Amino acid sequence: MSQPVIVTAIFHPRPESRDIVIDALRPALAAVHEEPGCELYAIHEVADGSLVMIEKWESVELLDAHGSSPAVVALVAEIGEHLTVPVDVTRMTAIPMGTPTQGAL
């Protein structure tokens, strides 16, 4: 069994495009929640205006498939011009510590 993969994807919308980006994320999130291997896919706003997607995937293989899914392809095409820089994606693997429910995503 492979270890889950944790991902952060940071979006930096242009200030005037915040609502456009958030509106584009709504259907993308709904679609991604239906993808095989998606255990968590949640968007959060930071005080500086950036948006952080926190993701958890069952395996690297399923995460890789997600990267070329119709939802991601459509989202990237729709929001690209509304971002100040490309989306910053970081993949991580947990180092579980403490309790099983609190020590790892």
Side-chain angles (χ1 to χ4, degrees):
M1 187 167 107
S2 64
Q3 185 174 10
V5 182
I6 308 303
V7 177
T8 57
I10 303 174
F11 302 79
H12 296 277
R14 298 181 187 286
E16 68 277 9
S17 296
R18 175 194 174 274
D19 291 343
I20 293 168
V21 173
I22 289 175
D23 287 345
L25 285 165
R26 289 182 204 287
L29 262 83
V32 171
H33 285 169
E34 300 300 318
E35 290 181 20
C38 178
E39 296 180 6
L40 175 71
Y41 200 74
I43 194 75
H44 300 78
E45 189 164 23
V46 181
D48 69 1
S50 60
L51 304 170
V52 179
M53 183 74 70
I54 300 174
E55 308 175 30
K56 183 177 182 183
W57 291 88
E58 186 179 312
S59 69
V60 170
E61 296 78 16
L62 292 169
L63 171 59
D64 288 344
H66 159 71
S68 60
S69 71
V72 171
V73 171
L75 178 64
V76 170
E78 188 172 349
I79 67 171
E81 69 183 282
H82 298 287
L83 303 177
T84 59
V85 295
V87 178
D88 180 17
V89 177
T90 302
R91 292 182 179 205
M92 301 169 275
T93 52
I95 303 173
M97 295 185 188
T99 69
T101 57
Q102 294 172 303
L105 285 177

